């Protein structure tokens, strides 16, 4: 194991360069964004309208299933669950009965997923079973994230993913949209380190740690949000 005597540094010029390329690509709908409307969160359940309570449930349940699974699998599971069941009926089920339903849609990690879904309905019981009401009056990231701490499995990652999607679909609005941590996963860490947009600097020697780390050790360094990364400042 590598001794954790290091700091994380963001290369501002590299981040700006990457962000500009992504914005240009998105605007022109080329390369990565050529089929942007086909991403999983846009494949909404049948007979469900964008902006409806059921659509918000689809997003919230799908994000809840997001644990070591491909996005296509988790959003498809959320879509089919909302298509097949009345959310008001699901909300009244006991845990064991809910678990029997959840396993039909996403059999892997069923205990974790069932607990997450159960906690979602438990939390929303105070909001008329409507996810769109969950963030009423909330205008900042930290307050929104704290709302989700009652849901099993909702750490910084899932919370950030749900908040991003709710911002995208208009179920939440911040005074400052940039006040939002993205979901940081192993793929993002690998790409950021690979493009040298994020560097791990040895506090004693000043050298870049990632040049001496194997891939497994690099991924073992957890980054819980862009704020933690930026607290070190830019070089």
């Amino acid at each position: 194991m590598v001794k954790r005597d290091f700091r994380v540094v963001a290369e501002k010029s590299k981040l700006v360069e990457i962000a500009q390329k992504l914005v240009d690509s998105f605007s022109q709908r080329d390369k990565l964004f050529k089929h942007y409307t086909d991403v999983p969160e846009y494949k909404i359940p049948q007979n469900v309208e964008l902006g409806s309570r059921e659509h918000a449930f689809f997003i919230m349940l799908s994000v809840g299933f997001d644990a070591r699974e491909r996005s296509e699998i988790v959003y498809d599971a959320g879509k089919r669950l909302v298509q097949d069941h009345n959310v008001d009926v699901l909300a009244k089920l006991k845990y064991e009965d809910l678990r029997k339903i959840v396993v039909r849609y996403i059999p892997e990690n069923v205990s974790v997923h069932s607990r997450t879904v159960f906690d979602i309905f438990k939390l929303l019981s105070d909001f008329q079973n409507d996810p769109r009401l969950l963030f009423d009056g909330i205008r900042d990231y930290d307050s929104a994230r704290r709302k989700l701490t009652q849901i099993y499995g909702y750490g910084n990652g899932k919370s950030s993913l749900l908040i991003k999607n709710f911002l995208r679909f208009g179920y939440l609005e911040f005074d400052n949209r940039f006040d939002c941590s993205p979901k940081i996963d192993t793929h993002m860490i690998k790409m950021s380190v690979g493009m040298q947009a994020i560097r791990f600097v040895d506090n004693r020697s000043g050298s870049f740690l990632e040049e001496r780390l194997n891939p497994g050790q690099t991924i073992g360094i957890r980054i819980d949000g862009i704020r933690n990364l930026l607290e070190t400042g830019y070089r």
Side-chain angles (χ1 to χ4, degrees):
M1 293 294 291
V2 175
K3 189 174 181 180
R4 307 296 176 85
D5 186 18
F6 66 90
R7 67 186 185 277
V8 181
V9 175
E11 297 281 6
K12 185 176 181 180
S13 60
K14 180 65 70 172
L15 289 168
V16 171
E17 176 188 348
I18 294 169
Q20 189 60 59
K21 287 181 178 179
L22 288 172
V23 169
D24 291 343
S25 181
F26 177 80
S27 300
Q28 298 167 20
R29 292 297 195 274
D30 65 355
K31 298 178 181 178
L32 289 175
F33 300 104
K34 185 177 181 179
H35 303 291
Y36 184 71
T37 55
D38 291 331
V39 294
E41 55 264 41
Y42 279 93
K43 297 179 181 179
I44 66 176
Q46 295 176 4
N47 302 318
V48 168
E49 293 184 5
L50 191 68
S52 67
R53 181 184 67 149
E54 284 70 25
H55 177 261
F57 259 116
F58 155 63
I59 296 298
M60 197 165 190
L61 292 173
S62 298
V63 171
F65 291 149
D66 190 358
R68 300 177 182 176
E69 296 282 3
R70 297 199 318 274
S71 58
E72 293 85 357
I73 293 176
V74 300
Y75 282 98
D76 181 66
K79 180 177 75 172
R80 291 185 292 112
L81 184 60
V82 172
Q83 283 177 177
D84 297 347
H85 298 276
N86 183 299
V87 293
D88 289 316
V89 173
L90 291 175
K92 297 176 182 177
L93 294 178
K94 295 179 180 179
Y95 171 77
E96 287 301 327
D97 295 326
L98 189 62
R99 189 181 190 279
K100 293 175 183 177
I101 293 175
V102 170
V103 71
R104 302 176 199 163
Y105 297 89
I106 189 159
E108 299 296 329
N109 300 316
V110 65
S111 296
V112 173
H113 295 319
S114 300
R115 173 72 181 278
T116 299
V117 173
F118 183 78
D119 282 357
I120 287 173
F121 284 118
K122 183 178 178 181
L123 174 62
L124 292 176
S125 64
D126 293 330
F127 297 91
Q128 303 175 41
N129 285 335
D130 192 338
R132 298 172 302 178
L133 303 179
L134 181 59
F135 300 110
D136 273 3
I138 290 179
R139 305 286 300 182
D140 66 278
Y141 172 78
D142 285 336
S143 298
R145 183 174 56 83
R146 282 195 294 270
K147 274 277 189 178
L148 300 171
T149 58
Q150 300 175 52
I151 303 176
Y152 181 78
Y154 259 79
N156 285 343
K158 283 188 180 180
S159 296
S160 295
L161 183 58
L162 180 71
I163 290 169
K164 178 204 75 172
N165 278 321
F166 269 32
L167 284 168
R168 172 184 291 171
F169 290 111
Y171 302 137
L172 175 64
E173 189 56 71
F174 289 162
D175 293 324
N176 178 9
R177 279 199 167 205
F178 290 100
D179 181 32
C180 183
S181 296
K183 180 183 178 185
I184 303 295
D185 59 17
T186 55
H187 306 294
M188 188 177 292
I189 294 174
K190 283 197 292 186
M191 289 187 291
S192 298
V193 171
M195 294 184 291
Q196 296 189 339
I198 296 173
R199 311 299 299 270
F200 301 105
V201 181
D202 189 303
N203 282 329
R204 288 170 294 186
S205 68
S207 62
F208 295 119
L209 274 175
E210 68 266 20
E211 295 173 357
R212 304 198 307 273
L213 297 176
N214 63 45
Q217 289 172 317
T218 300
I219 299 310
I221 299 174
R222 297 294 304 275
I223 302 176
D224 291 326
I226 198 69
R227 290 179 177 178
N228 294 339
L229 183 153
L230 295 178
E231 280 176 357
T232 60
Y234 298 123
R235 282 198 305 120

